[in-house]
Amino acid sequence: MYHAKVIPAVARAKSDHFIRMRFSPPRFRSSAASTQPSALKVEEQQIDQTCTVVEKPCQVDLISQTKSVSDIPATKISIDFENTREAYKSKNTLELLRSLLVFKLCTFDFLVDKNKELMDLSKKIIGQRLFEKLMKMTFYGQFVAGEDQNSIKPLIHKNQAFGVGSVLDYSVEEDLTQEEAEKKEMDSCVSEAEKESPGLDHRERKYKAHRQFGDRRGGVISARTYFYADEAKCDHHMETFIKCIKASGGSSVDGFAAIKMTALGRPQFLLQFSEVLVKWRRFFTLLAAQQGKAGMAALEQKLELEQLQDSLTKLGVGCKADIENWFTGEKLGSSGTIDLLDWNSLINDRTKISNLLVVPNVETGHLEPLLSKFTDEEERQMKRMLQRMDVLAKHAEDNDVRLMVDAEQTYFQPAISRLTLEMQRIFNIERPVIFNTYQCYLKEAYDNVTVDVELSRREGWYFGAKLVRGAYMYQERSRAAEIGYEDPINPDYEATNRMYHKCLEYVLEEIEHNRKANIMVASHNEDTVKFTLEKMSEMGISPSEKKVYFGQLLGMCDQISFPLGQAGFPVYKYVPYGPVNEVIPYLSRRAQENRGFMKGSQRERSLLWKELKRRLLNRELLYKPVY
């Protein structure tokens, strides 16, 4: 019989690099609605752009624990979307012309659809050397900072001089065929137990690998993808991320480095752990329903302790004496109730990480292992993934760099979010070091944000979040439809937009009342940035506090980033770098992404033309930025 006991969080790795994980079941969700409706309505596929200028310097002081937020006067922030001189102050005229050329090329379907083939053909015709020069004059020069840590420093320093920081992102990917990608995915996501006895362990289809969706690049245009090869390759990825962290620490102030967890270990573990977390969440929901609390907001569901103990005893989960012991200590259950965050702490601290993968069988009421067995090598692989995460977090802490953990597919994401949360509980004590990413096209995004914020509030650590709309919509929708589970994506762009602003407003309100929350508004949407600035004014959140950050991709929406930076707001570019040939997959996706953006809006190109005309009329065509 497997037992659940009260435990704190994940323990830090010791000097012998052994990590003893102390996981909780799932991050349970709150369905509480926002009390303030969104004031925005954004057209579908609109490219996000903004220019801002502060009408007068913000007089908001940093908030202490004793100072009342209501005592702080709001400062009105005015936004000028037409001030191209400020928007492109960091660009010379050749850079403006390059942007216009690249964005125009992205509107031609033939060039975008065949961009990979055309680049390969160009390389053969003009040779490698000329091809690299051509790329640096066009797509590579527009969207990539340079080939290595040294070559990117000039651009980082220039951006910083104009108030724009960097999120460094090493964007090299393997150039695999679809068949190669599918094989790697199936080999790395199927356990030995499943290979020996397929179907015996009653795994859910959503959290199993399916060959038709084995190539996770399909339908994804704005996120890099890693496929597992072996442990040595994962060590190589970790070393690359360490170099990225050190480069960020050495070349910028308050910089970020981005990582993906699928680069750090065998994805089989992420699939399995995600399934465990989701099943524990359902078990809580079942127990709440038995107490007549179905349909309540998740954070408002409080299980009566005596009824809960009786239910668990009847289900055969353990004897009454054992169950009573589970809910004692550290004030757990002292109020006579158990809420979601109390429930989050109920899983045993086990020597073998595979023993964490225990789930409640709702039909029998017993706890049972997710798989019939784990091999010693699978055990070591899971442990190594956790060790690599810990190493990266320590390097980020030592180099004064924030670590941005990117979001991934929904069948990996519960585990990724849980592991990130555990790192936050360890490393975000003094300041926000670890940032989690929330994809707002997910139906459960608001629930995820509210529960995690509540946990940070109770435990007193710094909450760090990046809000994005999401990168995997088409892939997720088609996978859910074909395999047969509920579509996790909001029904349309308007619903996603409302979700984004709902989550954003919730975190901003948390910042207003508790200065330990931090958020990056990662958006190219002009109205979203405008909404954020308006809320910051209303809530008395000063840019100088560096609690609210803004983020855009390098080479896109400079009319948002640079005016924000020059007005004193913390704003960052996602800065990809890597050798020309090895970032071709990244550039291919940038072309596809811009095709949709440029067709949906002429605004960015019209602003570029406006600035060129202004320079022509003012005899500033030879303008060079001074910094």
Side-chain angles (χ1 to χ4, degrees):
M1 169 74 68
Y2 288 90
H3 294 264
K5 295 173 67 179
V6 176
I7 61 155
V10 57
R12 295 185 67 162
K14 308 300 181 184
S15 57
D16 61 357
H17 300 293
F18 177 74
I19 292 182
R20 298 178 64 216
M21 296 305 293
R22 296 168 181 257
F23 292 120
S24 49
R27 296 178 351 280
F28 299 108
R29 317 305 204 231
S30 167
S31 58
S34 172
T35 57
Q36 299 182 25
S38 170
L40 299 175
K41 186 178 179 71
V42 179
E43 294 183 4
E44 188 166 354
Q45 299 299 323
Q46 179 181 358
I47 186 169
D48 317 315
Q49 303 147 346
T50 219
C51 291
T52 97
V53 177
V54 180
E55 221 170 61
K56 56 182 178 179
C58 291
Q59 301 299 320
V60 181
D61 297 323
L62 294 180
I63 307 290
S64 68
Q65 294 294 326
T66 58
K67 189 168 183 179
S68 171
V69 175
S70 62
D71 295 335
I72 300 170
T75 302
K76 179 65 177 177
I77 299 171
S78 65
I79 301 174
D80 183 359
F81 297 107
E82 303 298 329
N83 192 339
T84 60
R85 182 171 186 171
E86 288 297 313
Y88 301 112
K89 195 175 181 179
S90 65
K91 308 295 181 187
N92 63 39
T93 302
L94 282 177
E95 289 174 314
L96 297 184
L97 289 169
R98 181 185 66 194
S99 296
L100 276 168
L101 172 64
V102 170
F103 292 153
K104 182 62 179 178
L105 291 174
C106 288
T107 65
F108 295 110
D109 289 337
F110 174 77
L111 294 178
V112 174
D113 293 337
K114 301 294 183 181
N115 73 85
K116 183 68 165 56
E117 293 87 343
L118 291 171
M119 284 190 281
D120 290 340
L121 180 61
S122 299
K123 194 187 307 180
K124 290 178 182 178
I125 294 174
I126 66 177
Q128 179 66 33
R129 189 174 176 181
L130 283 176
F131 172 76
E132 290 189 6
K133 285 187 176 181
L134 177 63
M135 293 302 295
K136 288 179 180 179
M137 291 170 60
T138 54
F139 288 93
Y140 183 94
Q142 181 72 17
F143 300 120
V144 184
E147 300 200 49
D148 53 37
Q149 292 94 325
N150 290 323
S151 64
I152 66 177
K153 286 183 179 179
L155 184 139
I156 290 175
H157 290 154
K158 183 177 83 166
N159 286 354
Q160 195 169 296
F162 289 93
V164 177
S166 299
V167 181
L168 294 193
D169 185 10
Y170 191 67
S171 297
V172 169
E173 296 180 17
E174 288 183 279
D175 193 7
L176 302 174
T177 66
Q178 181 176 337
E179 185 179 353
E180 289 170 335
E182 290 173 354
K183 184 179 187 306
K184 281 180 178 285
E185 187 75 349
M186 297 306 295
D187 289 344
S188 62
C189 288
V190 181
S191 68
E192 291 300 317
E194 290 175 289
K195 291 175 183 176
E196 292 177 8
S197 306
L200 185 64
D201 293 292
H202 306 292
R203 295 284 308 283
E204 290 194 15
R205 291 180 61 79
K206 179 176 180 178
Y207 300 100
K208 294 178 70 174
H210 300 271
R211 183 171 291 277
Q212 66 268 43
F213 294 97
D215 187 352
R216 285 183 276 114
R217 300 168 301 182
V220 178
I221 58 175
S222 58
R224 67 199 185 288
T225 304
Y226 291 94
F227 293 95
Y228 180 85
D230 51 40
E231 293 299 296
K233 190 71 171 179
C234 293
D235 286 334
H236 174 72
H237 290 151
M238 182 186 71
E239 292 299 327
T240 298
F241 290 146
I242 290 173
K243 291 178 182 177
C244 191
I245 290 168
K246 290 181 177 178
S248 181
S251 60
S252 62
V253 179
D254 293 331
F256 285 85
I259 68 169
K260 280 210 167 190
M261 286 204 185
T262 48
L264 298 176
R266 189 181 180 95
Q268 171 194 329
F269 172 52
L270 296 176
L271 281 174
Q272 293 165 348
F273 193 39
S274 291
E275 185 170 355
V276 167
L277 296 172
V278 169
K279 286 184 174 178
W280 272 99
R281 182 185 69 223
R282 290 179 191 156
F283 192 37
F284 178 88
T285 303
L286 172 67
L287 295 170
Q290 290 179 350
Q291 294 195 14
K293 298 178 180 180
M296 293 176 62
L299 282 175
E300 295 175 5
Q301 289 179 325
K302 299 182 186 297
L303 305 183
E304 300 299 325
L305 188 55
E306 289 188 10
Q307 293 182 46
L308 174 61
Q309 291 170 344
D310 290 340
S311 296
L312 293 175
T313 303
K314 291 176 182 177
L315 287 170
V317 174
C319 67
K320 192 171 181 65
D322 285 340
I323 294 171
E324 287 176 355
N325 290 333
W326 299 345
F327 300 101
T328 59
E330 299 183 2
K331 298 182 180 179
L332 182 64
S334 60
S335 64
T337 61
I338 297 292
D339 68 11
L340 286 176
L341 299 178
D342 296 327
W343 183 260
N344 253 356
S345 65
L346 297 178
I347 196 168
N348 199 16
D349 176 20
R350 305 174 189 279
T351 302
K352 281 192 171 186
I353 294 176
S354 61
N355 289 341
L356 290 166
L357 303 182
V358 178
V359 295
N361 186 322
V362 178
E363 295 178 0
T364 65
H366 293 280
L367 299 181
E368 56 188 33
L370 186 67
L371 294 177
S372 58
K373 69 173 183 178
F374 288 85
T375 66
D376 290 340
E377 179 56 25
E378 287 172 335
E379 189 76 37
R380 286 191 290 269
Q381 289 168 350
M382 286 187 279
K383 193 177 297 182
R384 288 184 195 126
M385 174 183 275
L386 306 177
Q387 290 169 347
R388 293 179 188 112
M389 289 165 47
D390 191 79
V391 167
L392 292 174
K394 286 177 179 175
H395 273 89
E397 187 177 51
D398 292 343
N399 286 273
D400 290 328
V401 171
R402 275 76 58 86
L403 203 60
M404 189 76 74
V405 181
D406 286 343
E408 304 192 45
Q409 286 87 351
T410 53
Y411 42 90
F412 293 137
Q413 194 55 43
I416 291 170
S417 289
R418 186 73 236 168
L419 296 174
T420 304
L421 189 70
E422 296 298 342
M423 287 199 295
Q424 288 180 316
R425 297 170 87 174
I426 295 166
F427 293 96
N428 285 11
I429 304 302
E430 302 290 334
R431 61 188 180 88
V433 176
I434 311 297
F435 278 63
N436 201 358
T437 300
Y438 297 87
Q439 299 181 103
C440 293
Y441 66 7
L442 297 179
K443 296 173 182 176
E444 61 181 18
Y446 183 75
D447 299 342
N448 296 344
V449 169
T450 55
V451 172
D452 290 355
V453 166
E454 174 63 21
L455 181 64
S456 71
R457 186 187 301 144
R458 290 189 189 183
E459 296 184 345
W461 44 268
Y462 285 84
F463 176 79
K466 178 180 74 171
L467 284 188
V468 299
R469 280 174 170 79
Y472 305 98
M473 181 177 70
Y474 301 110
Q475 183 187 103
E476 292 274 15
R477 280 217 164 115
S478 59
R479 189 178 190 269
E482 187 165 336
I483 293 174
Y485 57 88
E486 182 184 355
D487 184 355
I489 308 296
N490 285 317
D492 53 38
Y493 183 82
E494 287 299 323
T496 293
N497 197 57
R498 288 192 297 270
M499 179 67 78
Y500 193 104
H501 293 111
K502 185 178 179 182
C503 293
L504 174 57
E505 186 173 2
Y506 183 88
V507 180
L508 290 174
E509 288 173 352
E510 176 66 13
I511 294 172
E512 181 184 12
H513 296 101
N514 172 18
R515 254 40 185 191
K516 282 195 165 186
N518 301 263
I519 190 167
M520 175 174 280
V521 183
S523 176
H524 295 152
N525 191 287
E526 182 179 292
D527 286 336
T528 292
V529 176
K530 190 174 181 180
F531 173 83
T532 307
L533 298 176
E534 181 181 330
K535 290 297 177 183
M536 288 176 69
S537 293
E538 292 175 4
M539 298 175 183
I541 303 171
S542 167
S544 63
E545 293 183 74
K546 296 185 177 180
K547 297 295 181 184
V548 182
Y549 312 91
F550 297 88
Q552 291 85 38
L553 292 166
L554 183 70
M556 295 173 64
C557 297
D558 289 339
Q559 74 277 13
I560 294 179
S561 308
F562 287 91
L564 279 174
Q566 291 166 63
F569 291 88
V571 59
Y572 291 81
K573 286 289 194 183
Y574 248 71
V575 178
Y577 67 98
V580 175
N581 282 331
E582 297 181 52
V583 297
I584 292 299
Y586 176 87
L587 291 173
S588 178
R589 289 198 307 276
R590 286 283 77 76
Q592 293 174 13
E593 186 171 23
N594 273 284
R595 184 248 305 270
F597 281 158
M598 291 302 105
K599 284 192 172 182
S601 172
Q602 301 292 323
R603 183 163 179 75
E604 187 157 7
R605 281 187 290 159
S606 68
L607 288 173
L608 287 164
W609 276 117
K610 181 179 177 181
E611 175 59 12
L612 280 172
K613 292 174 184 177
R614 189 197 68 78
R615 290 186 185 183
L616 178 62
L617 291 173
N618 289 276
R619 299 180 181 180
E620 296 179 9
L621 284 178
L622 298 180
Y623 168 82
K624 290 184 180 180
V626 178
Y627 57 96

